[in-house]
Amino acid sequence: MAIDSQIWHQHALANRIQSLLLLVAMVSFLSLLGWVLWGVDGIFWLLLLGFVLLLFNPVSSPWLIMRMYRATRLTSVKAPTLDSTLRELAHRAGLHRVPELFYVPSPMVNAFTVGSRNEAVIAVTDGLLRSLDTRETVGVLAHEVSHIRNNDMWVMGMADLFSRLTSLLSLLGQFLLLLNLPLIVMSNVSINWFAILLLIFAPNLSALAQLGLSRTREYEADLSAARLTGDPEGLANALVKIEQRSGSLLERLFLPGRRIPEPSLLRTHPPTKERVRRLMALKPPIAEPLSFIRRERGFLQDDAPVYLVSRRPRWHVTGLWH
């Protein structure tokens, strides 16, 4: 049975339109702040500044980030099955360069991507490799490869840049307003309350747009991963298992969902239930599934682990939690 291509294209189109609208909203907030502070010229100069910063926006070195996590590179010798899986997924995704794969010695069930499209690193934790079977791990790797193919690191970096500029200009505007408040009161000048409210709430609105964009890119990566593997159910099972195993045993028993922000607007990731629903609506497979994804054994039965991790996740002085 093939994936329903019509449903896939409908979801993909909706995700792209939402991403575009959210980026436009963030640029609009920045333009409005420029207009409030400096008029029409402010709009022009702020957009020009944003464009220049985008061109020279520094990207954190993925190797430095891996060092902060005390991660170890997984080569074809250390992890032949993982390495061959990633190469096949990168080939299917049309990537010119296979991402580097790193092992994070942490019991957290997690995987993430850093870097750029031409210099990407995928990190998988010990907890993820021990918790998921091979089929589920392939789905997670495909999800991360999809982020690289979709250039989501750059998109989210751009959104973060506009959000930071909006917050900086809002603070500047509020500071200038406080400085001039005595003059405004003594001169009986009418106050533009719209401008004041914009200065106060623009950073919050921009942050919400950024969170919305993050959720939309996650949906897009899920859909792309399903096409890469031809097995949306594998990723769906992985998402459920990752959510179930997040937090301690006591949290899972007595405080389920404690780490999930409410309302849903404050989530950086979409609700797992909705992600699973979208994936299961696709119906496998559209492509020839990877030859080994139906095995039940996990990767760590095939690829020897680098470390044996038994400690709980903790906060580090670098600001990282793993």
Side-chain angles (χ1 to χ4, degrees), residues 41-61:
D41 290 341
I43 298 176
F44 172 78
W45 288 111
L46 277 182
L47 291 180
L48 180 62
L49 175 63
F51 177 74
V52 171
L53 290 177
L54 276 178
L55 292 179
F56 300 99
N57 188 21
V59 178
S60 299
S61 169

Side-chain angles (χ1 to χ4, degrees), residues 1-4 7 230 232-233 278-286:
M1 185 181 296
I3 285 178
D4 193 323
I7 294 178
E233 188 176 0
R278 294 190 181 202
L279 283 167
M280 296 306 292
L282 298 177
K283 301 176 184 179
I286 191 170

Side-chain angles (χ1 to χ4, degrees), residues 23 54 57-62 65 95 97-100 111-123 141-162 210 213-214 217-218 220-221:
L23 284 173
L54 276 178
N57 188 21
V59 178
S60 299
S61 169
I65 296 175
L95 299 182
R97 183 174 179 179
V98 179
E100 301 285 353
F112 58 91
T113 303
V114 294
S116 62
R117 189 171 186 177
N118 296 322
E119 191 180 29
V121 165
I122 295 177
L141 286 178
H143 176 90
E144 299 305 326
V145 168
S146 297
H147 275 311
I148 298 170
R149 184 179 69 174
N150 298 338
N151 213 11
D152 285 338
M153 292 86 75
W154 184 84
V155 172
M156 294 311 301
M158 178 176 64
D160 182 66
L161 176 63
F162 279 112
Q210 185 179 0
L213 180 63
S214 175
R217 301 319 300 160
E218 290 298 322
E220 182 71 17

Side-chain angles (χ1 to χ4, degrees), residues 121-140:
V121 165
I122 295 177
V124 291
T125 65
D126 183 270
L128 181 130
L129 296 179
R130 294 184 184 279
S131 300
L132 306 186
D133 63 31
T134 304
R135 182 185 181 192
E136 295 161 351
T137 307
V138 170
V140 172

Side-chain angles (χ1 to χ4, degrees), residues 214-261:
S214 175
R215 294 191 297 273
T216 301
R217 301 319 300 160
E218 290 298 322
Y219 281 135
E220 182 71 17
D222 287 346
L223 294 173
S224 297
R227 287 184 71 91
L228 288 179
T229 63
D231 182 32
E233 188 176 0
L235 177 57
N237 292 341
L239 294 174
V240 172
K241 193 174 289 186
I242 289 171
E243 182 177 64
Q244 289 176 345
R245 303 197 179 187
S246 297
S248 65
L249 177 62
L250 290 178
E251 285 179 349
R252 295 198 298 269
L253 290 176
F254 299 108
L255 298 171
R258 185 181 75 88
R259 296 173 183 265
I260 302 175

